Structures are given as C-alpha cells and as structure tokens.
Amino acid sequence: MIYFDYAATTPMSEQALSVYIKASQEFFGNSSSLHDEGSQARFLLEQCRETLARLIGGKKEGIYFTSGGTESNLLSIISLARAARKRGNHVIASMAEHSSVHSALAFLEKEGFHITKLPLSSQGVIEPEELAAAIRPDTILVSLQYANQEIGTINPIDKIGRLLKEKGILFHSDCVQAFGKLDLRPLLLWVDSLSVSSHKIFGPKGIGAVYICPSLHWSPLFPGLTHENGFRGGTVNVPAVAAFTAAAEEVCRTSSLQKEWELRRLLKEKLTSSSFRWIEADETRQLPSIIGMTIQGMEGQLVLLKLNEQGCAISTGSACDTRSENGTKAILAMGHSIEKARQFFRISLSSRTTIQEIERLGNLLLGITASVLR
C-alpha cells in the first residue's frame, strides 16, 4: 500500500520506537510513586517536559502531557474559558476547526457560554478583519487552528494574536497539523495556549501535550485530580512521552518543506485537466503536505475506494470526521455547497513520500477520471 494519509497518522520512526521500548523496560515505574523506580520515571518525564518546552519556545512549567490532540483541545479550551468567565462568556472559533474544538464549544454552550463560529475566506483562512468584526465586549477566548487538517491552509496567527493581545482576549491555537512542519516558537508571542500531538510527527499514538502560559490561571475540568498538576487524571504514560519527545526532536531538527513542495508541484503538473479542482491558498498561506482536491462530478468516497483498490491510501477529510454526512468542514466553511463538499478528498504527504509514488498516484487519478467521467 502506498500511503498518502500522513495528516491522519504517521508510522512510528525507528528512533521513537527504540526510545519507547527502552523507556518501557527501564522506566516502567509510576512517575507519581515515591520509591526509586517512580523517581527515575519522574526524572525522565521532567526531562521530556523541558525538551518539549524548548522545542516550542516555552517554559517547562507550561507543558501538560495528555492523551493526544483531542484531549489537549478539550481541556485547554474549557479550562481557560471557565477561568475567564468573570470577564465575559463569549468564545470565537472558526467553522473549520477540528471536531475536538467543536466538541469543547458545544460543552461550553451547554454551560451558558455564547459561541460564534466564523466562516473561512476564499483562501481558506480567517482574516483578522473578519475576526475583529466578531469581537464583543464580553469576548474572552478565541480558538483558531494554525494549519487546517483538511486543506492545509495557514491562519495568520501573528496578526490575529496582536489584535487579541491589545484587547486582552485569550488565544488558543490547535497546532496539531503544524507542529514539526512550521516553527511554533514565534507563536508564543501571541497565543496563550496551544496543542500538539505525537502521532502526527512519527511518534506513538495516545500521547500529546498542551502548552498554557504559566502566568495564566486555568480552572480544571475535573477538580481534585493530581496528575499533571491537576490538569488531567490518569497515570502518565512515561514511555510514550519519551518516544513523543524523541520524535519531536527528530522532526524539528530535520524539518524542511522543500521536498513536499516539489512533490505537490509535480502532482499539479500531471493533473492539468479542468476536472481537477485544488482547494488551496496562496503558497505563503499553504502547507504543501496537505492537498485538498475535488474531481468534478465524482464523490470523494468513490475516489478513495478506487485508489484503495489500486493500493493507494488517501482520505476524504479528517479521520475524526469520517462519519459526517455533510462532507468536510473546511469546504463548507468556505461557502461551497454540500455537493462539492462530498466530492472532496485529501492527499497528505511527508518527507517519506517519493517521486515514484507521486507519479503512480497521478497516473491512477488520471485513469479514474477517464474511466468514470467518459
């Protein structure tokens, strides 16, 4: 199987797998236990916390390890909103956020918060002017992803962050798709919290992290818990944390999008037919590794099945939204019809993708289009 679904998940790197096995064997103690085995696990955990903080440009006190991007978004958004409720109860996000963000917003709405969801521009991003128009006197929190999980567009976090800093509004950013591809360190000038995940960067599944500025007050979703300074419950998975950190160090050290841009352009050169529609932004606002596309007159699920028969794995959007009947959120948020949203499919690349694989994919897509639409 030729794999083109790296935005959904990645295989573990050899380095991360080696660290996971070694940590499972040598640091198996509960990091909360007071004996020597627990102390050794706790020492490794704190080393990883410091390393991850350095990679994103923050302080170790702001890192909270979680079970992944979904829990990171849920806990950070709800905890920050609850803590700021005395100042207001209005929260803003985009219509195209990950399903975990929408879940957190639905939870807050049940608690009496007012939620505004903004559409995307024709470029697939939130423009600062549109956000500014949605801000109210009672706005306390904005949550916007750095890079969209379905079409790979990049929000202008710096410009939006400046606006929100001036108004004293908290800013959370889902950085799950951006981490390891874009440098997160400049973001900490503007965001108050951000979320990252391991299995998007060749680390193990079931582990992620939140960074919350240490000077901020947050209200725990589940009072009385003791792990991760009360941010969440459950014994910390130290081997997974260690493997996640190893994967993060490796991907941040070697990250370069040059190859992904070359592969994206190669595929575009092959698919010149007007039947292919690329859902993308200008290159300055686009991750090259995530390709959103439609074939006119053909449902994305059919494209997926046809390619799967030929040994190629793609997706029809975020893996967390595969049961949605309305298609991808990003396309709908851009104002396209449900019919076009159902035609959407996603190709996602990585540094492991080869020219030969792109050539194969391009030829298969041309063949599918010719056979189905003739």
Side-chain angles (χ1 to χ4, degrees):
M1 179 68 73
I2 304 175
Y3 193 66
F4 293 106
D5 201 17
Y6 288 96
T9 195
T10 59
M12 283 183 69
S13 68
E14 291 296 327
Q15 174 69 9
L17 183 58
S18 175
V19 169
Y20 185 86
I21 293 171
K22 183 175 181 180
S24 297
Q25 294 171 331
E26 300 181 12
F27 297 89
F28 59 86
N30 188 323
S31 59
S32 296
S33 297
L34 299 179
H35 48 60
D36 287 351
E37 292 291 351
S39 296
Q40 290 175 10
R42 186 164 58 255
F43 178 75
L44 176 59
L45 177 64
E46 295 310 313
Q47 279 190 316
C48 292
R49 199 185 308 277
E50 187 170 347
T51 299
L52 190 61
R54 173 175 53 80
L55 292 175
I56 66 173
K59 300 177 181 179
K60 63 174 291 186
E61 295 80 15
I63 294 287
Y64 303 92
F65 289 108
T66 68
S67 65
T70 288
E71 188 184 28
S72 293
N73 284 328
L74 287 169
L75 294 184
S76 54
I77 291 170
I78 295 171
S79 297
L80 288 173
R82 279 181 164 181
R85 192 164 194 172
K86 290 182 179 179
R87 297 191 288 110
N89 68 344
H90 181 228
V91 179
I92 300 173
S94 85
M95 293 169 58
E97 297 297 309
H98 187 266
S99 58
S100 59
V101 173
H102 285 287
S103 179
L105 298 177
F107 180 91
L108 289 174
E109 199 164 30
K110 286 187 175 181
E111 291 202 333
F113 286 84
H114 296 173
I115 309 298
T116 297
K117 297 178 183 178
L118 300 176
L120 300 183
S121 70
S122 60
Q123 288 277 302
V125 300
I126 295 293
E127 299 291 0
E129 297 79 12
E130 293 297 319
L131 177 65
I135 292 174
R136 307 183 333 198
D138 60 341
T139 303
I140 56 170
L141 173 66
V142 171
S143 180
L144 293 177
Q145 57 197 180
Y146 193 7
N148 182 265
Q149 68 278 359
E150 294 167 343
I151 57 177
T153 49
I154 301 169
N155 275 315
I157 297 297
D158 54 344
K159 295 178 181 179
I160 291 171
R162 288 189 185 96
L163 169 67
L164 298 179
K165 284 287 184 187
E166 291 173 0
K167 296 181 177 296
I169 298 170
L170 295 173
F171 191 10
H172 170 74
S173 185
D174 174 358
C175 294
V176 167
Q177 290 294 342
F179 187 38
K181 304 176 187 72
L182 303 174
D183 188 359
L184 300 190
R185 289 172 295 181
L187 260 66
L188 290 191
L189 290 171
W190 313 115
V191 304
D192 299 291
S193 69
L194 61 83
S195 52
V196 293
S197 182
S198 166
H199 74 105
K200 308 293 189 181
I201 58 167
F202 302 97
K205 296 177 181 63
I207 194 72
V210 169
Y211 182 81
I212 300 179
C213 179
S215 63
L216 280 180
H217 173 66
W218 49 267
S219 177
L221 180 56
F222 302 105
L225 299 177
T226 58
H227 292 92
E228 291 301 281
N229 200 29
F231 190 68
R232 70 184 297 267
T235 301
V236 180
N237 189 345
V238 174
V241 168
F244 173 26
T245 306
E249 283 190 292
E250 185 176 14
V251 75
C252 289
R253 182 176 63 253
T254 61
S255 177
S256 170
L257 295 176
Q258 181 179 351
K259 181 180 180 182
E260 285 89 334
W261 274 119
E262 292 172 356
L263 296 174
R264 184 186 184 96
R265 289 166 185 153
L266 176 61
L267 185 63
K268 209 165 193 179
E269 289 171 5
K270 290 187 71 68
L271 305 180
T272 56
S273 166
S274 60
S275 298
F276 296 99
R277 307 287 178 84
W278 291 63
I279 313 298
E280 59 184 349
D282 296 335
E283 287 195 359
T284 56
R285 293 184 168 192
Q286 180 69 50
L287 277 182
S289 54
I290 298 180
I291 300 171
M293 187 182 295
T294 66
I295 297 176
Q296 191 172 7
M298 190 183 307
E299 289 209 359
Q301 190 172 19
L302 177 60
V303 179
L304 182 154
L305 294 173
K306 291 287 186 181
L307 287 175
N308 190 65
E309 290 173 359
Q310 298 296 323
C312 287
I314 66 163
S315 76
T316 53
S318 172
C320 296
D321 292 315
T322 55
R323 296 186 182 275
S324 172
E325 297 180 357
N326 294 328
T328 175
K329 290 195 293 289
I331 304 300
L332 296 172
M334 292 174 71
H336 295 295
S337 66
I338 290 178
E339 180 183 5
K340 186 166 184 178
R342 287 175 176 160
Q343 294 174 359
F344 178 86
F345 58 95
R346 181 186 70 184
I347 299 162
S348 47
L349 320 173
S350 82
S351 58
R352 299 187 180 191
T353 308
T354 67
I355 291 176
Q356 292 75 20
E357 289 172 341
I358 288 292
E359 292 278 2
R360 170 71 171 160
L361 175 63
N363 290 334
L364 288 173
L365 285 170
L366 289 171
I368 290 169
T369 306
S371 64
V372 175
L373 299 182
R374 63 187 175 191

